Amino acid sequence: MRNNDTLYIVVPCYNEEAALPETSRVLLGRVAELAEGGRVSAESRVLFVDDGSKDGTWDFIAGLKAVSPYAAGLKLSRNRGHQNALLAGLLAAKEDADMAISVDADLQDDVSVIDGFLDKYYEGFDVVYGVRSDRSSDSAFKRGTARRYYRTLRKMGVEIVPDHADCRLMSKRALQALAEFKEVNLFLRGLVPLVGFPSATVEYPRRERKAGESKYSLKKMLALAWQGVTSMSVRPIRLILSLGVTLLLLGIAALIAFSIVAACGHPEWQWTIILAAIAAACGLNLTATGIVGEYVGKVYLETKARPRYIVEDYFK
Ligand code: UDP
Ligand code: MG
């Protein structure tokens, strides 16, 4: 069994001074145990990423080096949001690490999940998704909306692991592949499945936030949800196109039918011809918009310059 690879635990932190004392104690302690047991290398780190916090988060992180040799810190110049902070940490980690695990600063993701991740990693999986088995700590509203949202996303053709947020392990080559995705509108949950490679899931219970408040305001949550649709899928444009074509065809059919009825001795039907004409004109308009949208969608995907494929193996 392989062992002793270098692990980086990446922790995005935004105004987390209340949660960090406990979080850093637990995570640094866990990495120390794993390193001493030879499960991960002594070069392993817990990398705290300060996402432009306005409180004492960075001072706390900077002070950790004196506490533990396993502490590392990365400070962003300003608040760029959870997804960007996480990516910054993962891309920094890929330089020195063989694998990186991302967890939130509030320890809602149970740390026991780390052992499950490592087992799967050493079995040869490149991506291990943490799946929340018990979401009872989230409100019923949050659970209900999340479920409906992910169902909609999948209908839009976005491949998503159910009940998985951003708690996962990625191997070095998966991180290197992720770095090939140059897009700035980030939705990591949708991108990581596109990276491919052998993947597995590990279940864990989702806990209450240890300290401090949720840093995901309703506004940030809605922004992330919208990002998920608009950065991963051009299907909304297709919806407009199919709506337009349907309306156009129905309008034309009604126009013909009503004209025949009116011409066959029912002049009182004449006004319905106008309705049909309006529907057909609207349909034509939407169809035209949808076709233009189709090209805009193509331009959008081209500007993302995503890798067309990622090679897993090659020999000659
Ligand atoms: N976070 C961040 N930048 C932000 C907002 C949040 O780095 O702009 C971090 C936050 O510190 C935490 C993680 O993202 O480590 C998840 O946030 P939170 O726990 O508040 O979200 P919730 O679990 O309530 O959805
Ligand atoms: Mg949280």
Side-chain angles (χ1 to χ4, degrees):
M1 191 177 176
R2 261 188 324 145
N3 251 330
N4 210 31
D5 279 358
T6 300
L7 163 70
Y8 268 52
I9 299 181
V10 177
V11 191
C13 310
Y14 178 54
N15 294 344
E16 294 286 9
E17 78 184 345
L20 274 178
E22 169 75 357
T23 303
S24 58
R25 192 183 61 73
V26 171
L27 290 178
L28 289 168
R30 193 73 202 104
V31 169
E33 273 168 31
L34 290 167
E36 276 147 31
R39 190 102 170 102
V40 302
S41 83
E43 278 69 54
S44 299
R45 296 283 181 274
V46 182
L47 173 58
F48 296 93
V49 182
D50 175 20
D51 182 17
S53 298
K54 294 174 182 68
D55 63 359
T57 295
W58 179 249
D59 292 336
F60 185 86
I61 294 171
L64 283 173
K65 203 67 215 171
V67 178
S68 164
Y70 299 107
L74 177 75
K75 185 183 194 312
L76 300 191
S77 63
R78 55 156 295 162
N79 182 238
R80 296 296 296 143
H82 173 224
Q83 298 287 294
N84 289 314
L86 184 52
L87 184 73
L90 292 175
L91 295 189
K94 86 175 190 312
E95 304 301 322
D96 300 301
D98 297 307
M99 60 186 136
I101 292 176
S102 43
V103 294
D104 288 349
D106 54 11
L107 287 192
Q108 279 191 287
D109 312 309
D110 194 74
V111 278
S112 65
V113 75
I114 294 172
D115 297 293
F117 281 162
L118 287 175
D119 289 343
K120 292 286 180 197
Y121 169 79
Y122 284 124
E123 275 171 39
F125 291 101
D126 288 275
V127 181
V128 190
Y129 300 98
V131 171
R132 298 164 180 176
S133 58
D134 167 20
R135 295 194 60 171
S136 50
S137 63
D138 286 332
S139 68
F141 172 75
K142 194 163 177 171
R143 268 178 289 154
T145 46
R147 196 168 319 120
R148 267 192 295 276
Y149 172 68
Y150 287 120
R151 205 178 305 144
T152 314
L153 262 192
R154 270 195 295 278
K155 282 207 187 109
M156 295 273 176
V158 185
E159 210 181 299
I160 285 258
V161 179
D163 283 321
H164 159 72
D166 283 310
C167 174
R168 69 177 82 81
L169 177 145
M170 294 179 80
S171 69
K172 194 185 197 84
R173 64 174 184 172
L175 291 170
Q176 284 165 341
L178 182 68
E180 296 295 310
F181 289 75
K182 305 291 184 197
E183 58 205 82
V184 292
N185 291 293
L186 263 191
F187 188 66
L188 287 169
R189 268 160 245 195
L191 276 188
V192 175
L194 292 182
V195 165
F197 296 126
S199 66
T201 57
V202 168
E203 292 203 344
Y204 69 93
R206 171 127 163 125
R207 306 234 177 275
E208 300 277 353
R209 190 177 237 282
K210 285 259 193 273
E213 313 247 285
S214 171
K215 303 301 177 295
Y216 257 96
S217 55
L218 186 63
K219 195 172 144 209
K220 275 190 175 165
M221 199 128 71
L222 288 175
L224 181 70
W226 187 234
Q227 180 87 290
V229 177
T230 54
S231 86
M232 298 303 299
S233 174
V234 288
R235 218 161 275 188
I237 299 175
R238 303 259 158 80
L239 278 176
I240 293 181
L241 184 59
S242 46
L243 191 71
V245 171
T246 313
L247 197 60
L248 179 62
L249 293 180
L250 283 178
I252 290 174
L255 198 61
I256 295 169
F258 296 162
S259 302
I260 293 172
V261 174
C264 295
H266 291 285
E268 74 276 14
W269 273 67
Q270 262 171 6
W271 67 275
T272 58
I273 297 175
I274 298 172
L275 279 192
I278 292 173
C282 288
L284 186 64
N285 227 325
L286 268 191
T287 304
T289 311
I291 290 173
V292 174
E294 190 66 33
Y295 286 96
V296 175
K298 295 258 150 51
V299 172
Y300 178 59
L301 292 178
E302 294 290 342
T303 50
K304 276 182 185 287
R306 283 181 179 169
R308 275 160 288 191
Y309 50 81
I310 291 155
V311 175
E312 182 169 339
D313 244 320
Y314 179 47
F315 75 92
K316 52 184 176 179

